[in-house]
Every structure is written in C-alpha cells, then in structure tokens.
C-alpha cells in the first residue's frame, strides 16, 4: 500500500452527512443540490465552528488581560525573559509549520503540473490519431467510388463473355469488397462524429486545471510569505521585549489567524473531495469525458507493448475490416484475368482500386501506430499519478501543516497578550546631540574646551600651584579663593594615628601636606 492509497482510505473514514445529519452514499457528486455537496458543506462548517470557538476564546482572554490591573510587583526580569523565550520557541515552531506548508504547496503544484502536461501530450497524440483516422475514412470513401466504377465496367464487359459462372463469382467478390470498404467509410464517419469534440474536452480540462492550480499556488505563496514576514517582526519584538511591537503583532496576528482558519475550513473538504475522486470518481469522469471515457479507461489499464494490435475496441473494429480485403482483391484479379482476358477498361479500373486498397493498408498501419496502447498509456497514467498520488499526498501534508499552524497561532496570540503588562515601552535608541552639549560640542575647536570641566583638580596636590581659574563646575571650588591650599590657615587637628614626618626635604612646600590634609 502506497502512502497516497493509505491517505485515500484514511479520508474515506470521515462520515459524509447531509443536512439532515444522515449518512449518504452519494460519492463525488458536485451538483449544488446533491447530498454529497451537503456533506462537504457540513465539513467546512465544522472547521468554521472550531475557528469561531478559538476566536471567542482569544477575545475573552484579551479582554481579561486588558482589564487586568497593571501591577509592577510581578515584573521580574526573570519572568520577562522566560516569557520572551516561550514566545520565541512558539514562533520558531510556526516558521517550521510554514515551511511544511510551502513544501506541500510545491508538492501539489508538481503533481498538478504532471497532470496538465499529460493532458497536453495526450491531446497532441489524440490529434494525430484523429487525423490518421480521418485520412483513413476519406481513402475508404474514394475506394468505394472506384469500386462502383469497376462494377459498372464489369457489367459492361460481362455482356461480351459467355462464362457466366466466373462473372457471377467476380460480381460476388466485388460486392463483398465494396460492402467492407463502405462499412469502413461509414464507421469512420460515425467515429469522427462521436469523438469530434474530444480534443476540445481535453483542452477545457487543461484550462480548468491550469487556472485552478495557478490561482491556488499564487494565493498560498503570497499568504504564506506575508505570514512569515509578520512572524519575523513579532520575533524581533519578542527579542527586544518591546511592548509596542507586541501590541502591533497581536493586532496583525489576529487577522492572520482568521485567514489561516478560513483556509483550513476550505482545504479540508477539497482534500476529501479529491480523495473521493481518486477512489470512486467514475461517475463524474464519465459525465465530463463523454465518449472519450471508454478510450481513457482502456489506455489507463492496457499493457503497453510495441505491437500495433493493442487498440481501443472502437478503433480495433474499425481497422480490422481491412484485413481480409487484400486476399479478396488478389482473387478478384485472377478471376477477371480469366474472364475478360486482360481487357483494358477492366485492367485500368482494377489498377485504380488496387492503389486505393494499398493506400488503405498503409493508413490502417498509421492508425494502429498512432492509436496503440504504448502511445497513450504513460500520459494517461501520469494524469492519475499526478492527481491521485502527488496531489493527494501534498494536500494531506498541507492540511496537517496548516492545522498545526492554526493551533500554534492560537497559543501564540494567547501568550502574547501577557506581554502587554510585562513588556515596557522602549525609549528611542538614538538621541540627537544638541549644539550646546558640553561633552561633545559641535563645530568647536578642542582648544576652546575648558581645561578642567570635571573639576578633577580638587584634592589633587599636583595641581595646587596652577593658577588657572576654576570653571565652577563643581561645588568644591565654587566658594574658595584662588590661593594654594598649603598657604591657607588650617585649624583642623592632626590625626593621632598619622605617621611621623621625616626630616628629609623638610623645607619643601609639600612636606607638611599629610599633616594638614590627612586623606
């Protein structure tokens, strides 16, 4: 059992209920009033009901979170970091589910491309086959006219011979050949009238599938990439612990959540309908293909061998009528040579009929070659492979991915509401420097900067003898005179536990500094 067949059997377990909640056996009937369409509508409504329940839950939680009193006692840095980590992990899981959805979308696109290409190839081969059948039918019509001419010549020449038995045999053989070729002409005309619109049918199916696939692929790609961009901005807000970013993400994420669950509600019945088509879609296939249905079924189930006798029943019967004509023509030529002694009118008419029969034999071979099983089998099988294998697997994986994405978005929107009171509003990252900034004045030469804007000369003995005026930037020099500290009278008592002054360099002005200013 392949993976696609397992999925087809799995989705067949989903109950199909009509609007009266009764089980229905109507399978893949897409008429508006059919019970099968009612079952698909109920499945879509089930997804909508689940999404509505989750939406109500989100709204209630958000209202409670907005009305909650903003207490600062619980705003610990550890709690904020833990909440940011949880939001980041959920966002990463959402990215992973989006990647699965993108993979499944491309898988479905590849499967539908295989089906569309198989239809294109089948249409081209079918056009060649129909052209060969048309030429075969036209050659049969021309041969019928020439056979009637030969019959008239034989009737005229039979009046000159006395061998009535041979003339009667000639007439019988001519009648048989004429009837068989006339049947070929009439059957070919009937076959063309039945299958004249087959090429148009294939083209309509190709256009519908191409339009559906292109629109589906483009919509999902655009939506998934928009979701990725929104989640990326949300991750940045969570990492920066920005309250404004979290609020904006909550607003936009709410609409993304709604769209995701709408897609879930629509995709689930589509997936079930596709599996039902692959399991039991003969009714709708027969209705859409018409007379082409039996031919498609034959090419799908036939064994592709290189012989030219493996043809659909209608074409096989059409071509088989020419098989006995060459032997009958040879017998006719021998009898006419005996009866009419190579008469010129008989010989000319017989030669024209012989050319027609030779042309019919060649066209019969061309019809057999262009309509054989090995010409169409791979294309027809690829259609079912692309639709019922690749597309079913892709849609199932997409359904799983987008369903998990919807649940993760629900959890993310619930958790992100807690950041409204925990995250703080971030300040501006960059502050423009004013022209009068003392730390970095613009347009001012470095030589004009004050010598000591920080007041570092206070308590520094190496700068006591400098005479630069103070910039009054500190309170330590605002009220003091511009006199060296060692020249001032100090009445502070000496510290008892200070070290004794050495006699070396006792006359230096710095010698009594430790006693006066015991730091």
């Amino acid at each position: 059992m392949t993976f696609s067949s397992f999925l087809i059997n799995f989705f067949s377990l989903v109950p199909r209920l009509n609007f009266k909640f009764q089980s229905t056996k109507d399978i893949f009937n897409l008429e508006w009033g059919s019970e099968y369409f009612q079952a698909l509508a109920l499945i879509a409504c089930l997804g909508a009901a689940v999404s509505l329940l989750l939406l109500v839950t989100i709204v209630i939680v958000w209202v409670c979170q907005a009305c909650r009193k903003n207490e600062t006692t619980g705003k610990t840095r550890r709690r904020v970091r833990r909440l940011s980590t949880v939001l980041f992990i959920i966002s990463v899981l959402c990215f992973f589910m989006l990647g699965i959805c993108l993979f499944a979308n491309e898988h479905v696109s590849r499967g539908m491309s295989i089906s569309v290409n198989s239809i294109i190839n089948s249409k081209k081969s079918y056009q060649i086959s129909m052209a060969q059948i048309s030429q075969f039918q036209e050659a049969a019509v021309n041969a019928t006219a020439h056979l009637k001419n030969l019959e008239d010549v034989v009737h005229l020449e039979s009046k000159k011979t006395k061998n009535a038995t041979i003339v009667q045999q000639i007439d019988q053989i001519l009648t048989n050949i004429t009837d068989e070729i006339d049947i070929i002409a009439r059957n070919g005309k009937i076959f063309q009238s039945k299958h004249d619109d087959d090429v148009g049918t294939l083209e309509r199916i190709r256009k519908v599938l191409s339009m559906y696939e292109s629109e589906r692929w483009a919509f999902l790609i655009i939506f998934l990439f928009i979701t990725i961009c929104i989640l990326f901005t949300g991750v940045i807000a969570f990492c920066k612990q920005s309250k404004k970013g979290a609020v904006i993400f909550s607003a936009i994420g709410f609409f993304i959540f709604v769209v995701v669950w709408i897609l879930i509600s629509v995709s689930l019945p589509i997936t079930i309908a596709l599996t039902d088509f692959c399991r039991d879609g003969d009714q709708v296939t027969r209705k859409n293909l018409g007379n082409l249905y039996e031919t498609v079924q034959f090419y799908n189930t036939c064994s592709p061998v290189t012989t030219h006798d493996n043809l659909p029943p209608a074409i096989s019967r059409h071509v088989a009528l020419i098989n006995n004509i060459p032997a009958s023509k040879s017998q006719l030529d021998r009898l006419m040579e005996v009866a009419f002694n190579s008469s010129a009118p008989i010989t000319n008419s017989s030669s024209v009929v012989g050319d027609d029969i030779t042309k019919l034999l060649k066209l019969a071979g061309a019809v057999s070659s262009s309509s054989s099983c090995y010409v169409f089998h791979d294309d027809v099988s690829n259609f079912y492979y692309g639709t019922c294998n690749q597309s079913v697997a892709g849609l199932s994986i997409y359904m799983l991915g987008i369903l998990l994405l919807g649940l993760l978005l629900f959890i993310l929107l619930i958790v992100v509401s807690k950041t409204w009171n925990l995250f703080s509003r971030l300040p501006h990252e960059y502050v423009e420097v004013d022209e009068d900034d003392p730390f970095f004045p613009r347009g001012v030469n470095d030589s004009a900067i004050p010598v000591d804007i920080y007041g570092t000369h206070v308590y520094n003995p190496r700068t006591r003898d400098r005479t630069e005026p103070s910039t009054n930037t500190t309170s330590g020099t605002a009220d003091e005179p511009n006199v060296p500290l060692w020249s001032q009278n100090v009445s502070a008592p000496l510290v008892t536990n200070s070290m004794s002054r050495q006699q070396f360099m006792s006359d230096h002005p710095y010698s009594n500094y430790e006693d006066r200013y015991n730091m």
Side-chain angles (χ1 to χ4, degrees):
M1 178 182 292
T2 61
F3 180 64
S4 59
S5 60
F6 168 77
L7 292 173
I8 291 173
N9 294 331
F10 173 76
F11 282 107
S12 65
L13 300 177
V14 178
R16 276 73 167 171
L17 304 177
N18 56 17
F19 287 163
K20 296 180 181 179
F21 296 98
Q22 297 176 353
S23 179
T24 176
K25 296 181 179 180
D26 190 10
I27 301 298
F28 202 76
N29 184 8
L30 299 180
E31 298 292 337
W32 287 101
S34 63
E35 293 185 352
Y36 181 75
F37 191 83
Q38 295 177 9
L40 295 181
L42 283 180
I43 293 173
C45 291
L46 177 63
V50 174
S51 63
L52 183 62
L53 179 62
L54 296 178
L55 281 175
V56 171
T57 304
I58 292 174
V59 171
I60 292 175
V61 171
W62 282 12
V63 170
C64 295
Q65 193 67 33
C67 297
R68 185 180 178 182
K69 185 178 179 181
N70 188 7
E71 298 179 355
T72 59
T73 56
K75 288 187 177 181
T76 62
R77 184 175 297 275
R78 179 179 300 176
R79 186 178 178 186
V80 172
R81 187 184 304 112
R82 187 165 53 243
L83 183 60
S84 300
T85 304
V86 171
L87 290 173
F88 180 79
I89 293 174
I90 297 175
S91 300
V92 170
L93 293 177
C94 289
F95 280 120
F96 183 71
M97 291 300 111
L98 285 170
I100 291 178
C101 291
L102 288 172
F103 166 77
N105 186 44
E106 292 299 323
H107 203 76
V108 175
S109 179
R110 184 178 65 178
M112 296 305 295
S113 297
I114 292 174
S115 298
V116 171
N117 290 333
S118 68
I119 294 176
I120 294 174
N121 295 331
S122 297
K123 188 186 74 171
K124 292 179 180 178
S125 299
Y126 199 78
Q127 286 175 333
I128 295 174
S129 177
M130 291 297 293
Q132 298 293 340
I133 292 174
S134 178
Q135 293 180 9
F136 186 60
Q137 188 265 340
E138 291 177 359
V141 172
N142 295 331
T144 301
H146 295 155
L147 282 170
K148 290 182 179 179
N149 187 25
L150 180 59
E151 287 179 356
D152 296 337
V153 174
V154 168
H155 290 162
L156 292 175
E157 294 294 328
S158 63
K159 297 177 180 180
K160 302 177 182 179
T161 183
K162 297 180 180 180
N163 198 343
T165 303
I166 298 177
V167 172
Q168 186 177 1
Q169 292 178 358
I170 292 172
D171 186 64
Q172 183 64 38
I173 294 173
L174 272 175
T175 302
N176 293 336
I177 294 174
T178 303
D179 291 342
E180 289 179 354
I181 294 180
D182 186 60
I183 291 173
I184 292 174
R186 286 189 285 107
N187 287 348
K189 189 175 182 178
I190 294 173
F191 183 85
Q192 285 180 330
S193 63
K194 286 184 176 180
H195 298 274
D196 187 44
D197 195 41
D198 289 349
V199 176
T201 301
L202 293 175
E203 180 62 20
R204 286 194 298 271
I205 294 174
R206 184 198 66 81
K207 287 182 178 180
V208 171
L209 289 180
S210 299
M211 182 182 66
Y212 164 76
E213 177 55 25
S214 61
E215 297 296 333
R216 184 201 64 82
W217 181 87
F219 174 77
L220 288 181
I221 286 293
I222 293 173
F223 171 73
L224 292 177
F225 272 105
I226 291 175
T227 306
I228 289 174
C229 295
I230 293 174
L231 280 176
F232 185 74
T233 57
V235 169
I236 294 176
F238 302 151
C239 293
K240 296 176 66 175
Q241 299 176 2
S242 172
K243 179 179 180 180
K244 181 179 180 181
V247 172
I248 294 176
F249 173 78
S250 300
I252 302 178
F254 183 83
F255 293 101
I256 294 297
F257 175 82
V258 173
V259 177
V260 165
W261 276 96
I262 291 176
L263 289 177
I264 293 173
S265 302
V266 175
S267 301
L268 182 58
I270 290 177
T271 305
I272 293 175
L274 182 61
T275 56
D276 289 340
F277 166 76
C278 297
R279 182 168 56 91
D280 191 12
D282 289 341
Q283 180 179 356
V284 68
T285 304
R286 186 186 298 272
K287 180 179 179 181
N288 290 327
L289 294 180
N291 296 322
L292 189 60
Y293 172 77
E294 295 181 357
T295 305
V296 171
Q297 291 298 109
F298 169 80
Y299 286 125
N300 187 37
T301 57
C302 67
S303 178
V305 293
T306 56
T307 59
H308 293 170
D309 56 349
N310 198 358
L311 302 172
I315 299 177
S316 179
R317 290 191 300 266
H318 185 61
V319 175
L321 295 173
I322 198 67
N323 293 335
N324 299 325
I325 293 179
S328 299
K329 180 63 171 59
S330 299
Q331 183 181 3
L332 178 64
D333 290 339
R334 290 195 300 268
L335 291 176
M336 287 191 299
E337 185 178 358
V338 172
F340 303 113
N341 196 15
S342 299
S343 174
I346 295 293
T347 302
N348 294 333
S349 298
S350 177
S351 178
V352 172
V353 172
D355 293 339
D356 291 338
I357 293 175
T358 301
K359 185 177 181 180
L360 283 173
L361 289 173
K362 292 179 179 179
L363 290 174
V367 170
S368 300
S369 177
S370 61
S371 304
S372 186
C373 175
Y374 70 88
V375 177
F376 291 91
H377 177 75
D378 290 341
D379 291 329
V380 176
S381 299
N382 285 338
F383 174 81
Y384 284 98
Y385 172 77
T387 303
C388 298
N389 190 300
Q390 298 294 308
S391 295
V392 168
L395 274 179
S396 301
I397 296 173
Y398 167 76
M399 272 301 307
L400 177 63
I402 199 168
L403 180 61
L404 293 177
L405 176 63
L407 296 176
L408 288 173
L409 285 176
F410 169 73
I411 298 174
L412 184 63
L413 292 177
I414 291 294
V415 177
V416 78
S417 63
K418 297 183 179 298
T419 64
W420 299 348
N421 295 327
L422 288 179
F423 287 175
S424 59
R425 191 180 298 274
L426 294 179
H428 295 291
E429 295 182 358
Y430 301 100
V431 178
E432 290 294 332
V433 178
D434 191 71
E435 295 292 338
D436 299 330
D437 186 3
F439 299 100
F440 188 71
R442 295 185 178 182
V444 180
N445 192 3
D446 292 340
S447 60
I449 299 176
V451 176
D452 194 357
I453 63 175
Y454 294 100
T456 55
H457 60 285
V458 181
Y459 303 124
N460 188 350
R462 297 181 182 276
T463 60
R464 299 298 186 255
D465 56 350
R466 301 180 65 175
T467 59
E468 290 87 348
S470 174
T471 56
N472 293 329
T473 56
T474 61
S475 60
T477 59
D479 300 324
E480 294 182 2
N482 296 328
V483 180
L485 292 176
W486 52 85
S487 301
Q488 299 179 12
N489 294 325
V490 179
S491 60
L494 297 176
V495 181
T496 58
N497 58 353
S498 61
M499 296 178 63
S500 60
R501 184 174 63 231
Q502 297 180 2
Q503 297 299 323
F504 180 72
M505 297 180 65
S506 58
D507 56 347
H508 196 273
Y510 289 162
S511 61
N512 61 349
Y513 173 74
E514 187 175 359
D515 292 337
R516 299 176 60 186
Y517 298 96
N518 189 2
M519 300 298 291

